Amino acid sequence: MKYISGLSSPVFNRTGPRAIAILGSTGSIGTSALRVAAKNPGYLHIVALAGARNMALLARQADQFRPPYLGVLEEQHARTLRDLLPAGYTPRIFIGLDGYTALATLPEADLVLAAQVGAAGLVPALAAARAGKVLCLANKEALVLAGGIFREVCRGSGAAILPVDSEHNALFQAFIGHDGTTVSRLILTASGGPFRTTSLEEIHAVTPAQALKHPNWSMGAKISIDSATMMNKGLEVIEAVHLYGAKPDEVEVVVHPQSIVHSLVEYADGSQLAHLGMPDMEIPIGYCLGYPQRLHIGLERLDLAKVGVLTFESPDVVRFPCLRLAREALLAGPSHPVVLNAANEIAVQAFLDGRVSFPGIARLIDRMLDGHDSLPVDNLDHILAIDAETRSLAEAAIAEGAF
Amino acid sequence: MKYISGLSSPVFNRTGPRAIAILGSTGSIGTSALRVAAKNPGYLHIVALAGARNMALLARQADQFRPPYLGVLEEQHARTLRDLLPAGYTPRIFIGLDGYTALATLPEADLVLAAQVGAAGLVPALAAARAGKVLCLANKEALVLAGGIFREVCRGSGAAILPVDSEHNALFQAFIGHDGTTVSRLILTASGGPFRTTSLEEIHAVTPAQALKHPNWSMGAKISIDSATMMNKGLEVIEAVHLYGAKPDEVEVVVHPQSIVHSLVEYADGSQLAHLGMPDMEIPIGYCLGYPQRLHIGLERLDLAKVGVLTFESPDVVRFPCLRLAREALLAGPSHPVVLNAANEIAVQAFLDGRVSFPGIARLIDRMLDGHDSLPVDNLDHILAIDAETRSLAEAAIAEGAF
């Protein structure tokens, strides 16, 4: 296997402070990243923060870290934000997708943390890669939709991609320093989510409130539902294929309810290297922000004797069909993962809104994949068109009912 | 932490076949290594085999691999061996410690596998390091006795040390490719041996036959008894301190009865990198013989879902005082580990011979450590003198009885 990008950015050789732009700073990953930054004030310097919805939080973050640049998606949010900032602090506020893209390519930024949720994060993340940044990628959809494009862009620009997702970060730590050509399998661990032991019958009636309760990780709503359906793991299988240059059948999933082993890389000799730790996103986020150094983030240490027992089981694709659908999309053709992701985003929002049932999420995705004929995804326009069309089709299907 | 040697041997950059000398080829490690060699005939080329006792086996190995050099410890063994070799095959046979040392420094050998048991392996292993060889070190006593000397010798000679012991090999795989200065702990896993759940009272009466039955690993008699007393883990703590340049309190032990997780390296950010695999010595041996490539050794793959459950617990130093004694020796002074090891070798042999009881092993070692005043161990002569004196004292103590 061959990693998606080189890892020879000049940023990695510098020992001085690092300038970081965070896109999606008000979300779960963004707030964790700022906790890590607050613990390493001399080393991690925030130059830009951008958030799409929670202006009160964005203003508090801006007040604390005082970056010279901020970003929001809408004009009215810019006004709200400006009013919330303290007197005497007048950062430049960028607006809209173009504004996010400007922040992703800021000359002052060494690292860009792409922590937006969903397909919306693709364009700025790709812009950061084109600009040769160190891209700390928490937005897995960027790779699900455009993994091949990222690989090509990084080759040309010298950008380095560091994976923030705990599983892919675990794989990264177990991958570097070893000969990638001798990797035989990537094994993603999955908590199994809140319905790991729920019967097929009971799963049909679960509510959004039940689905939002993840046993181990504190995460946003979208990823919590993806974890409940195991689509999160399906998307991660696709992400792993792109990040590590793996074949689909070289990526496996094992259910590990304790979320202590964060994934494993298997080598040709039967060795498996694993990353273990407490389930806290500050670890993979801090790893990316500090790479190749390690930051002190002062978390409780993993004590295996105290944990006592780690268990592992095979995933059940009957109760969790999304995992099967993701694999099928990966094998069907380059545009099917785009359809899978767009249909899933619409279905999850509709589930949260009470418009589709929990098993309806998988049924809607299945319908969208079934009706899709594979198309080329050679450039961003192709991808965005397929994404937009799928969203319309999915909304129309929901409006007709029966999911 | 800073690894004991550099890892820039020109051998590692060559893609062609490698010439290997195996000292201790008739033991458990040696025979496993030859199985690995037989699976990679184009790549691993045996130039020397040496064995101390089993001439019938040494002759069969020699017949199979046809190395130009053989080694034995005694003149009469050389004659026996010569008679057992097939007509037309006339390798040069080296004799005695000087002979072993000659094999360890053979100009034709790229790699030297030091797989002798006990302190007897020290002199040839050190000679290989002085000669700048890639030293695949299975003889943990070499480091327990002379770790500081090995570090110094490697700096001068450019020798590279690769650890064969499964735990230290696991640490090595989790250590390379990462910044050693950010390592916070080395965590050695221990199976707990055959008496992990045996009560303190019952342990007092165990027999050699019971102690030789290791639950997971197939090993020689000496190391099996060391595993039963957990002195094996104590020696490994000392070995880890020397190999990785760790402080004694940076090396911990966790009992893990399934022997699937082979040890873990903890980093400053709370990350723990672990090596997992089936408990088969061909994996770490093959890793060393192939480094930095990985050899195909065709073993059954680890399937965590099939294993199902991994458990971890703290070691019990009341029932297993040898673990405590090893730590005390490490802290007491540079010569105490030499005493610990020599007393242990005598005690284990006496236990196997029925001359001391199982708990008598620890009592004898404790007595020897108690009576020892720390001495400098700046050179091999110091070490060998302390080793020899301890053996005499230990034998005398046993002769007096009461162990």
Side-chain angles (χ1 to χ4, degrees):
Chain A
M1 298 183 195
K2 188 164 174 5
Y3 190 64
I4 191 168
S5 76
L7 292 167
S8 57
S9 167
V11 173
F12 299 148
N13 301 324
R14 286 196 352 233
T15 53
R18 293 177 165 192
I20 301 171
I22 303 183
L23 307 182
S25 68
T26 56
S28 172
I29 297 290
T31 52
S32 290
L34 288 176
R35 276 198 298 277
V36 172
K39 292 174 190 172
N40 294 271
Y43 191 60
L44 302 180
H45 172 60
I46 305 296
V47 289
L49 294 172
R53 275 174 291 270
N54 190 339
M55 291 305 114
L57 178 55
L58 183 57
R60 283 200 304 278
Q61 293 176 338
D63 185 21
Q64 182 181 354
F65 291 95
R66 298 293 172 111
Y69 305 104
L70 298 176
V72 296
L73 277 182
E74 291 169 33
E75 190 75 50
Q76 70 189 77
H77 280 153
R79 285 191 297 271
T80 309
L81 180 61
R82 184 76 71 192
D83 292 343
L84 290 166
L85 294 177
Y89 168 48
T90 53
R92 180 163 171 203
I93 301 179
F94 288 82
I95 301 167
L97 190 58
D98 286 352
Y100 269 61
T101 302
L103 294 178
T105 57
L106 271 182
E108 297 95 321
D110 299 315
L111 274 68
V112 174
L113 173 57
Q116 295 172 268
V117 177
L122 169 58
V123 172
L126 194 56
R130 280 195 215 285
K133 298 294 183 193
V134 174
L135 175 61
C136 303
L137 193 59
N139 177 275
K140 69 188 75 180
E141 292 82 358
L143 293 180
V144 170
L145 270 56
I149 295 176
F150 271 93
R151 182 173 287 262
E152 210 182 294
V153 164
C154 290
R155 191 167 41 218
S157 72
I161 295 184
L162 300 173
V164 173
D165 233 354
S166 69
E167 293 81 356
H168 295 87
N169 190 268
L171 294 177
F172 185 86
Q173 294 196 38
F175 189 91
I176 57 165
H178 297 273
D179 179 358
T181 65
T182 64
V183 174
S184 54
R185 278 195 302 173
L186 305 175
I187 303 163
L188 295 166
T189 53
S191 70
F195 307 132
R196 182 177 62 88
T197 59
T198 307
S199 72
L200 185 59
E201 207 163 52
E202 288 170 308
I203 280 182
H204 282 212
V206 301
T207 64
Q210 291 173 301
L212 285 169
K213 278 190 193 144
H214 193 276
N216 303 330
W217 297 94
S218 163
M219 308 183 293
K222 163 67 166 54
I223 194 171
S224 291
I225 303 301
D226 284 349
S227 179
T229 62
M230 292 193 76
M231 178 56 92
N232 185 46
K233 211 51 54 178
L235 294 173
E236 286 175 10
V237 168
I238 303 174
E239 187 183 0
V241 162
H242 289 300
L243 264 178
Y244 297 96
K247 298 190 191 84
D249 65 357
E250 290 172 331
V251 183
E252 294 188 14
V253 173
V254 66
V255 174
H256 167 49
Q258 297 81 23
S259 296
I260 295 294
V261 179
H262 298 141
S263 285
L264 311 96
V265 175
E266 184 187 80
Y267 291 88
D269 61 359
S271 289
Q272 292 185 7
L273 295 185
H275 179 278
L276 288 79
M278 302 300 278
D280 191 311
M281 284 306 295
E282 287 188 34
I283 295 177
I285 292 168
Y287 182 82
C288 292
L289 297 184
Y291 180 86
Q293 280 88 46
R294 303 237 182 202
L295 304 176
H296 291 263
I297 48 180
L299 297 173
E300 188 196 345
R301 294 301 160 120
L302 170 63
D303 178 345
L304 280 176
K306 205 162 134 191
V307 172
V309 178
L310 302 177
T311 64
F312 302 88
E313 58 197 55
S314 295
D316 178 352
V317 290
V318 175
R319 287 184 303 134
F320 301 99
C322 285
L323 196 53
R324 176 178 52 77
L325 292 171
R327 280 198 184 276
E328 288 175 3
L330 189 55
L331 292 170
S335 59
H336 281 81
V338 181
V339 171
L340 176 93
N341 181 69
N344 182 56
E345 287 193 27
I346 295 299
V348 168
Q349 190 54 54
F351 170 68
L352 288 169
D353 298 342
R355 294 184 288 131
V356 310
S357 68
F358 188 76
I361 297 173
R363 278 200 298 265
L364 179 65
I365 299 164
D366 201 3
R367 171 88 65 89
M368 293 297 114
L369 287 172
D370 251 5
H372 177 70
D373 288 321
S374 198
L375 293 167
V377 288
D378 301 333
N379 63 48
L380 207 52
D381 291 341
H382 289 165
I383 293 167
L384 296 178
I386 298 164
D387 178 75
E389 197 201 347
T390 305
R391 285 168 196 268
S392 309
L393 290 172
E395 288 290 6
I398 293 168
E400 286 171 23
F403 287 102
Chain B
M1 298 183 193
K2 189 164 171 10
Y3 190 63
I4 191 168
S5 76
L7 293 168
S8 57
S9 168
V11 173
F12 299 148
N13 301 323
R14 286 197 351 232
T15 53
R18 296 177 160 189
I20 300 169
I22 302 182
L23 308 182
S25 68
T26 55
S28 174
I29 296 291
T31 52
S32 289
L34 288 175
R35 274 197 300 275
V36 172
K39 292 175 190 174
N40 293 272
Y43 191 61
L44 303 180
H45 173 60
I46 305 297
V47 289
L49 294 173
R53 275 174 291 270
N54 189 339
M55 291 305 115
L57 178 55
L58 184 57
R60 280 199 305 277
Q61 293 175 338
D63 185 20
Q64 183 182 352
F65 291 95
R66 297 295 173 108
Y69 305 103
L70 297 177
V72 296
L73 277 183
E74 292 167 34
E75 191 75 52
Q76 72 190 73
H77 281 152
R79 284 192 296 274
T80 309
L81 181 61
R82 184 77 72 194
D83 289 344
L84 289 166
L85 294 177
Y89 168 48
T90 54
R92 181 164 169 199
I93 300 179
F94 289 82
I95 300 166
L97 190 57
D98 287 349
Y100 270 60
T101 301
L103 294 178
T105 56
L106 269 183
E108 297 94 320
D110 299 314
L111 275 68
V112 175
L113 172 57
Q116 293 172 268
V117 176
L122 170 58
V123 172
L126 194 56
R130 279 195 215 286
K133 298 295 183 191
V134 174
L135 175 59
C136 302
L137 192 58
N139 177 276
K140 68 188 75 183
E141 291 82 358
L143 292 180
V144 170
L145 271 57
I149 296 176
F150 271 92
R151 184 174 284 265
E152 208 183 295
V153 164
C154 289
R155 192 167 41 220
S157 71
I161 296 184
L162 299 173
V164 172
D165 234 352
S166 68
E167 292 81 358
H168 295 86
N169 189 269
L171 295 176
F172 184 86
Q173 294 197 38
F175 188 90
I176 57 164
H178 298 271
D179 179 358
T181 65
T182 64
V183 173
S184 55
R185 278 196 301 173
L186 304 176
I187 304 163
L188 295 167
T189 52
S191 71
F195 307 132
R196 180 176 62 88
T197 59
T198 306
S199 72
L200 186 59
E201 205 163 53
E202 288 170 310
I203 280 181
H204 283 211
V206 301
T207 64
Q210 291 172 301
L212 285 168
K213 276 190 193 146
H214 193 277
N216 303 329
W217 297 95
S218 164
M219 306 182 294
K222 163 67 167 56
I223 194 170
S224 292
I225 302 302
D226 284 347
S227 179
T229 62
M230 289 195 75
M231 178 56 92
N232 185 46
K233 211 52 54 177
L235 295 173
E236 285 175 9
V237 168
I238 303 174
E239 186 183 2
V241 163
H242 289 299
L243 264 179
Y244 297 96
K247 299 190 190 83
D249 65 358
E250 292 173 329
V251 183
E252 293 188 14
V253 173
V254 64
V255 174
H256 167 50
Q258 297 81 22
S259 296
I260 295 294
V261 180
H262 298 140
S263 285
L264 310 94
V265 175
E266 185 188 74
Y267 291 88
D269 61 359
S271 289
Q272 292 186 6
L273 296 185
H275 180 278
L276 288 79
M278 301 300 279
D280 190 311
M281 285 305 295
E282 288 189 35
I283 295 178
I285 293 169
Y287 182 82
C288 293
L289 298 184
Y291 179 85
Q293 280 86 47
R294 303 236 181 202
L295 304 175
H296 291 264
I297 48 180
L299 297 173
E300 187 194 346
R301 294 298 158 123
L302 169 62
D303 178 345
L304 281 175
K306 204 163 136 189
V307 171
V309 179
L310 302 177
T311 64
F312 302 89
E313 59 197 54
S314 295
D316 179 352
V317 290
V318 175
R319 289 183 300 136
F320 300 100
C322 285
L323 196 51
R324 175 178 55 76
L325 293 171
R327 280 198 185 277
E328 288 174 3
L330 190 54
L331 293 169
S335 59
H336 282 79
V338 180
V339 171
L340 175 93
N341 181 70
N344 182 56
E345 288 193 27
I346 296 298
V348 168
Q349 189 56 52
F351 170 68
L352 288 170
D353 298 344
R355 293 183 290 130
V356 310
S357 68
F358 187 76
I361 296 172
R363 278 201 297 267
L364 179 65
I365 299 165
D366 200 4
R367 167 89 64 90
M368 293 297 113
L369 287 173
D370 252 5
H372 177 69
D373 289 319
S374 197
L375 293 168
V377 289
D378 302 332
N379 62 48
L380 207 52
D381 290 342
H382 290 165
I383 293 167
L384 296 178
I386 298 164
D387 177 76
E389 196 201 349
T390 306
R391 284 166 196 268
S392 308
L393 291 171
E395 288 289 8
I398 293 169
E400 287 171 24
F403 288 101

